[in-house]
Amino acid sequence: MTDTPQDLFPEATPTVAERMAAEALIVDVEGFEGPLDVLLTLSRTQKVDLRKISVLELAHQYLAFVQKAKQLRIELAADYLVMAAWLAFLKSRLLLPPDPTEDGPTGEELAAHLAFQLERLQAMRDAAARLMARDRLGRDFFARGQVEEVTRVRSVRYTATLLDLMQGYARIRTRDEFRPFVMDRDKVFTMEQALERMRGLIGYAADWTDIASYLPEGWGSDPVRRRSATAATFAASLELVKEGHLEIRQSDTFAPIHLRKRS
Amino acid sequence: MTMQPPTEEEEQSLFKAPPMGEQERMVEAILFATPEAVTVKELESRMPHGCDAAEALAHLRKRYEGRGVRVVRIDDAWAMRTAPDLGYLMQKETVETRKLSRAAIETLAIIAYHQPATRAEIEEIRGVSVSRGTIDQLLEMEWIRFGRRKMTPGRPVTFVVTPIFLDHFGLENARDLPGLKELRAAGLLENRPPVGSFAMGPDREEDEEDEAPGQSELFED
Amino acid sequence: MTMQPPTEEEEQSLFKAPPMGEQERMVEAILFATPEAVTVKELESRMPHGCDAAEALAHLRKRYEGRGVRVVRIDDAWAMRTAPDLGYLMQKETVETRKLSRAAIETLAIIAYHQPATRAEIEEIRGVSVSRGTIDQLLEMEWIRFGRRKMTPGRPVTFVVTPIFLDHFGLENARDLPGLKELRAAGLLENRPPVGSFAMGPDREEDEEDEAPGQSELFED
C-alpha cells in the first residue's frame, strides 16, 4: 500500500477503507454494469442518504478508481473513461468560481443531475428487488393444475363479394387468349388414332407404298395438321414393324418412306 | 443447519395439527393445483404433521355441494372437477370468416351468368373439372340450388342461384349482373398479360400471386 | 329457414337470464377450468344470454374470501389462484422459472414502473446499453410487449408490461406495483433530461439505427 499515489489527490486523501473498497471494485470491474453502477457502489462508502451525497467526493473516488485501474494495467471500457473525463470536468466546475461569461449549466446543476441519476437507479433496483420478492405464480400461488379441455366449436363462414364474382367471371371469359399449355386438340393426330387407322389399312398393303398415302383424309393441306399426322403415322408404323405386321424402308436420307405388309 | 432443541411447550405446539378450517383450505389448494387426483395418504404427506385429510376432505366436499365445482372421488384418490351440468359452458364458439376459393367463386359466377347450368357446362367454361366439394359447398351455403333437369340426353341436373345469393350480393335478380360489356367498361375484363410477363396490373398482381393458375384446383375441397 | 314465431311467454323465458346463484356457479366453473385469466366479456359470451358476469364475479369473489383458493383480478380479467400462504404445500407443483439476469430484472422493473418506456429511457436510467437478448428474453416470457410508438423524434417503440406479468406477480394492474406512489411522489419516475450537452450513457443514435423502421409496427396495437 506504500505505493498509493496520495499526492495525486491532495485535496482528498482517501481513507484506508476507501482504498480497499476501490481495490475490491477494480478486481470486480467485470461485474459492474457500467460507470453509473460503479458510482452507485462508491457512493455507498459515504454512508449518507443519496440525496445528501457529496458529488465532489464521489468524483474523487471515481477518479481514484480509474487511476488505480490504470496502475494495475486493467483495461477499462471506453465509457468508464468518458465518465472519468466528465467527472474531472464536473470537479473543476464545482471547485472554480463560476465564470459569468460561460454558458451552460452550473457545476451544481450537473452535480444535482448526477445525484438524481444515482438515486433513480437505486430506486429502480429496490423496486426490482421488491417485485421479485412478491408472491409469484408457480412458486407461491398456483393456477389450476388440470387443464380442462375447452372444446372449440369452430365454424367457418365463407364469403365473397360481388366484385369477386365479377372478377372471377371475367377471368374465365378472357382466359382462352392466355391459357398456357393447352393443346389444341383439333390439330393433333395422336399415335393411338394413327395406330388404329393403320391396323385397318395394312391388310391391303401388299406392295411398297409411300407412307404419305396413309395420312388421314383432310390432314394433308394444313401444315400443322400434316406435321402431326405424319409424326403419328410414322410412330404407329414403327410400332407395327416392332409387332411384326409391317416392313419399312427408306432408300436414302429424306427419301420417301415405304411400307409393306409383312408376308 | 443447527436448531435449538425445542422446549417442551414448543414441542407440544409443533406437533399440534392446524385447526380443521385451515386443513380444509390446504386440501382445497392442493386439489386445485394438482393435475392428477390425490390420495388421502399423499394429502397427509404434504400437509403438516397431525392433519386429518379425510375429515378435511369431508368438509370440503360438503362445502362444494351444489357449486359449479365438485370434489369427486376417483378410485381411492380425490380431485376437483367442474359440475357436469355446466359442461356446455366449456365450449367456445368461434366463427371464422373465410374467402371462398377461386374455384368456388368461378363456379358460382358461371352458374349466376348462365343459369340454369349443368355441371358439364360449368366444366366446359372453366376448362377444368369441377370437384364435388365445390358444388356441395355452394349448395350448403344456400347460394345455389338444383334447377330443372335439362331436356338433353342424360337429363342432367342444373344449378341456379338462390334468393339468398341475390340477397348477399345485393341483386334483385340474376339478370342484374353486369354483362361482359359492362365488365370491360369497368376495367374488369382487361386483358391479362401472358404468363411469364412481369408487367402486371396492380390489382391483378395480388390475384396472380397467391394463386398460380391451376394450383388452386389441387387444393380444392 | 322458417321458424314458428315464439309465443309471448316463450319469448319472455328465452331472454330471461338464469338466477344469480346459477350465474355464479357458471362463472365458478369457467374460471376453475381455465388456467388463464378470463375477461368479463368472454365470460358473458360463454354464458347464456342476459347474464351479468360482473355481478356473479363479485358474489363469487366474496364466497372464496379466506379460502384455499381465491378469485383474483388481473387487469380486466379474472382467474382462480391458490392462496399465497399455502405455497409451501405445493413444492411439488413449483415450476422452476428461468433465472433472470440482473440486467433483465432491472430492465423489467424500469419498464413496469416507467411504462411505456423506450429503450433509450431504460439505458438512460441504467447508464448502460440494453442488450437485445435481455429485451428478447422478456418478450419471449411474455412479460413485456411492444406499446405504442412515442410521439418524439424518431418515433421510438416503447415497451409495456403484459397481463401475464401482472398474473405472475399477483398484481391487479400496473398501478398496484409496490412503492409506485412513493417513487412518483419522490419525483423518481420523472423523465428528467440530462442537463447540458454532456449527455451520459450510451449513444442515443444507436437506438434509432438498430430498429428497422416499420418492423416493430407489426407489434403495435
Side-chain angles (χ1 to χ4, degrees):
Chain A
M1 290 270 175
T2 46
D3 57 341
T4 310
Q6 296 197 354
D7 51 321
L8 275 178
F9 305 109
E11 59 278 304
T13 308
T15 64
V16 173
E18 276 170 8
R19 283 204 315 261
M20 283 174 63
E23 249 164 64
L25 281 174
I26 291 159
V27 172
D28 199 28
V29 76
E30 287 298 319
F32 281 102
E33 302 237 3
L36 211 54
D37 191 16
V38 170
L39 280 170
L40 192 57
T41 309
L42 285 171
S43 70
R44 278 195 209 109
T45 61
Q46 291 190 20
K47 293 191 176 73
V48 290
D49 187 323
L50 274 174
R51 295 192 170 210
K52 295 179 191 132
I53 195 111
S54 160
V55 172
L56 188 59
E57 198 184 323
L58 191 60
H60 287 317
Q61 287 174 304
Y62 186 87
L63 292 170
F65 158 75
V66 171
Q67 191 62 37
K68 185 81 189 168
K70 272 187 194 158
Q71 274 178 10
L72 295 174
R73 298 178 190 281
I74 291 170
E75 286 276 336
L76 286 179
D79 49 345
Y80 286 89
L81 303 178
V82 170
M83 176 63 89
W86 186 82
L87 286 171
F89 164 80
L90 174 62
K91 210 175 91 179
S92 69
R93 276 271 169 118
L94 289 171
L95 290 172
L96 298 173
D99 181 350
T101 63
E102 208 167 333
D103 273 349
T106 65
E108 278 72 27
E109 281 167 344
L110 293 172
H113 187 71
L114 178 61
F116 168 74
Q117 280 184 297
L118 292 173
E119 197 190 345
R120 184 173 59 179
L121 179 58
Q122 187 57 52
M124 278 302 110
R125 292 204 167 151
D126 294 343
R130 284 171 74 179
L131 189 63
M132 299 316 274
R134 282 184 72 83
D135 288 331
R136 286 161 66 178
L137 181 67
R139 189 185 74 181
D140 306 294
F141 60 95
F142 296 83
R144 171 77 179 134
Q146 196 215 18
V147 181
E148 254 162 87
E149 265 314 304
V150 173
T151 338
R152 281 186 195 267
V153 184
R154 201 152 132 223
S155 54
V156 178
R157 196 173 53 214
Y158 286 95
T159 167
T161 65
L162 187 57
L163 190 67
D164 293 329
L165 195 68
M166 293 190 302
Q167 280 176 336
Y169 188 64
R171 193 161 54 215
I172 305 161
R173 299 312 293 188
T174 55
R175 184 149 52 196
D176 297 345
E177 301 154 55
F178 317 104
R179 209 158 67 195
F181 307 125
V182 173
M183 299 285 265
D184 194 336
R185 296 271 155 192
D186 291 353
K187 295 182 177 170
V188 174
F189 193 65
T190 67
M191 190 185 131
E192 285 72 30
Q193 284 173 294
L195 204 55
E196 202 178 323
R197 185 180 157 78
M198 294 293 285
R199 280 190 206 284
L201 293 175
I202 49 171
Y204 309 101
D207 289 326
W208 289 107
T209 322
D210 191 333
I211 193 170
S213 62
Y214 287 95
L215 292 191
E217 224 163 291
W219 288 75
S221 49
D222 181 349
V224 178
R225 286 165 72 93
R226 185 187 172 83
R227 199 182 309 142
S228 174
T230 307
T233 305
F234 178 61
S237 305
L238 291 179
E239 183 63 32
L240 290 168
V241 170
K242 209 169 118 193
E243 287 174 13
H245 299 301
L246 210 62
E247 286 180 302
I248 191 165
R249 78 173 187 195
Q250 187 180 29
S251 53
D252 202 356
T253 316
F254 298 117
I257 297 165
H258 289 102
L259 305 173
R260 182 173 74 176
K261 180 184 158 191
R262 189 166 179 172
S263 44
Chain B
M1 275 205 275
T2 53
M3 263 173 77
Q4 287 281 356
T7 64
E8 202 171 312
E9 197 183 302
E10 276 173 339
E11 203 162 49
Q12 272 273 313
S13 74
L14 209 63
F15 291 107
K16 214 160 73 188
M20 189 42 71
E22 207 43 37
Q23 293 188 36
E24 198 192 315
R25 286 183 75 227
M26 293 175 186
V27 172
E28 187 178 31
I30 293 172
L31 291 190
F32 177 84
T34 313
E36 314 84 36
V38 188
T39 63
V40 170
K41 205 175 142 197
E42 200 191 328
L43 279 172
E44 280 178 357
S45 79
R46 285 167 75 170
M47 291 161 74
H49 186 83
C51 283
D52 183 344
E55 197 190 330
L57 261 167
H59 287 293
L60 192 69
R61 203 174 188 191
K62 197 153 196 181
R63 183 183 295 271
Y64 275 97
E65 245 166 41
R67 307 287 323 141
V69 170
R70 303 182 317 161
V71 178
V72 296
R73 183 181 193 139
I74 298 155
D75 275 344
D76 62 338
W78 297 82
M80 281 167 100
R81 297 281 183 264
T82 51
D85 67 309
L86 297 176
Y88 69 95
L89 292 172
M90 302 305 140
Q91 287 190 349
K92 208 172 175 182
E93 242 178 271
T94 52
V95 179
E96 203 181 310
T97 307
R98 255 190 250 164
K99 227 142 188 76
L100 267 182
S101 70
R102 181 166 155 169
I105 287 176
E106 289 184 5
T107 303
L108 182 65
I110 293 166
I111 295 170
Y113 276 92
H114 295 264
Q115 64 172 350
T118 65
R119 194 193 187 94
E121 284 164 356
I122 298 165
E123 294 185 340
E124 160 116 19
I125 294 171
R126 283 196 69 219
V128 282
S129 66
V130 175
S131 83
R132 178 158 287 278
T134 303
I135 296 280
D136 285 350
Q137 184 185 19
L138 295 172
L139 283 170
E140 203 180 293
M141 291 172 80
E142 298 184 73
W143 279 3
I144 63 167
R145 63 173 178 81
F146 291 103
R148 287 182 184 289
R149 283 181 184 277
K150 249 203 176 143
M151 285 307 164
T152 51
R155 307 230 313 126
V157 292
T158 63
F159 300 100
V160 294
V161 294
T162 64
I164 294 172
F165 164 89
L166 295 173
D167 195 32
H168 180 91
F169 290 95
L171 299 164
E172 247 178 59
N173 60 57
R175 284 185 301 279
D176 284 353
L177 281 167
L180 283 184
K181 214 181 276 175
E182 287 159 288
L183 290 179
R184 188 168 283 123
L188 290 165
L189 271 186
E190 267 172 293
N191 285 351
R192 293 194 307 164
V195 175
S197 158
F198 288 98
M200 288 201 272
D203 55 11
R204 287 286 172 181
E205 205 172 332
E206 211 180 81
D207 193 50
E208 293 293 316
E209 242 175 33
D210 59 4
E211 277 175 32
Q215 202 200 15
S216 58
E217 297 296 331
L218 293 172
F219 295 106
E220 219 180 343
D221 67 10
Chain C
M1 278 199 274
T2 54
M3 260 172 80
Q4 286 282 356
T7 66
E8 204 170 312
E9 197 181 303
E10 275 173 339
E11 200 161 53
Q12 274 272 313
S13 74
L14 208 64
F15 292 106
K16 215 160 72 186
M20 189 42 71
E22 206 44 36
Q23 293 187 36
E24 198 192 315
R25 284 184 74 229
M26 292 175 186
V27 172
E28 185 178 30
I30 294 172
L31 290 191
F32 179 86
T34 319
E36 305 84 34
V38 186
T39 62
V40 171
K41 207 176 139 198
E42 200 192 326
L43 280 171
E44 282 180 357
S45 80
R46 284 167 71 173
M47 291 161 73
H49 185 84
C51 282
D52 184 346
E55 198 191 328
L57 266 164
H59 289 295
L60 191 69
R61 199 176 198 187
K62 202 152 194 181
R63 183 182 296 271
Y64 275 91
E65 246 165 41
R67 308 284 325 138
V69 170
R70 303 182 314 162
V71 178
V72 299
R73 181 186 193 137
I74 299 147
D75 255 355
D76 60 341
W78 297 80
M80 280 172 107
R81 300 285 179 255
T82 62
D85 67 306
L86 298 175
Y88 70 97
L89 294 170
M90 242 64 75
Q91 254 117 24
K92 234 184 98 179
E93 264 64 58
T94 307
V95 273
E96 206 40 66
T97 33
R98 205 162 12 143
K99 196 127 175 78
L100 281 178
S101 68
R102 181 170 140 186
I105 291 170
E106 284 182 22
T107 301
L108 177 67
I110 291 167
I111 292 169
Y113 283 84
H114 289 260
Q115 66 171 351
T118 64
R119 194 191 184 97
E121 283 163 356
I122 299 164
E123 296 185 334
E124 158 86 19
I125 293 170
R126 295 195 64 232
V128 281
S129 60
V130 176
S131 82
R132 186 156 279 275
T134 302
I135 296 279
D136 285 351
Q137 185 184 16
L138 295 173
L139 285 169
E140 205 179 288
M141 294 172 80
E142 295 184 77
W143 279 5
I144 63 167
R145 63 172 179 83
F146 290 99
R148 290 190 180 286
R149 282 178 182 278
K150 255 212 169 136
M151 285 305 165
T152 51
R155 306 235 308 128
V157 292
T158 62
F159 300 99
V160 296
V161 292
T162 64
I164 292 172
F165 164 89
L166 296 175
D167 190 15
H168 184 90
F169 290 100
L171 296 162
E172 266 195 28
N173 58 55
R175 288 182 300 278
D176 285 354
L177 284 162
L180 186 73
K181 242 182 246 161
E182 293 81 350
L183 286 171
R184 187 172 290 132
L188 290 168
L189 298 184
E190 283 163 37
N191 187 19
R192 240 183 261 179
V195 268
S197 52
F198 257 90
M200 285 197 301
D203 218 335
R204 292 300 188 88
E205 268 163 61
E206 193 197 293
D207 191 55
E208 250 95 69
E209 248 171 38
D210 64 2
E211 272 167 22
Q215 201 222 10
S216 40
E217 214 70 67
L218 292 171
F219 298 99
E220 221 177 342
D221 50 3

